[in-house]
Amino acid sequence: MPEPARVPGRNDPCHCGSGKKYKNCCLDKDDAKARKARAQAEAAAAKEAGSAEALKTPPPAPKQSTRQPWKGPQNPRGFQRLNIPRRSGGS
């Protein structure tokens, strides 16, 4: 039974034989290669599924508008207007 390819850890020696740690040598190259392969696989899957129909999302449901007369007219600033004059002077 063949041994599966082992992915080196970040602090393991690099598999290319440079003597550096994997994170300082080939980690970025291997990640870029994996990202490219993943993007190609996703593009192929989207193409098979019909990309136009797969990307469409249904429109959101309309917001319910209920009449609530007990609330009265709403002030957009959030504070009620008071018609009480300010006090002046003091003691």
Side-chain angles (χ1 to χ4, degrees):
M1 189 163 122
E3 186 177 319
R6 188 177 79 79
V7 177
R10 288 174 49 87
N11 290 321
D12 291 343
C14 189
H15 56 78
C16 70
S18 66
K20 295 181 181 180
K21 288 185 178 181
Y22 178 64
K23 66 181 177 184
N24 293 330
C25 187
C26 292
L27 177 66
D28 293 333
K29 297 175 205 168
D30 291 346
D31 282 345
K33 197 181 301 182
R35 273 194 306 272
K36 186 177 180 182
R38 199 168 36 246
Q40 288 176 347
E42 287 176 3
K47 192 173 185 180
E48 286 180 10
S51 61
E53 288 129 20
L55 294 178
K56 287 185 179 178
T57 58
K63 189 174 180 181
Q64 285 284 35
S65 60
T66 58
R67 190 165 170 260
Q68 299 173 345
W70 60 88
K71 284 194 172 181
Q74 297 292 318
N75 187 347
R77 286 184 271 153
F79 298 103
Q80 290 185 348
R81 249 194 162 152
L82 300 177
N83 291 329
I84 301 172
R86 293 185 178 191
R87 292 185 186 179
S88 61
S91 52

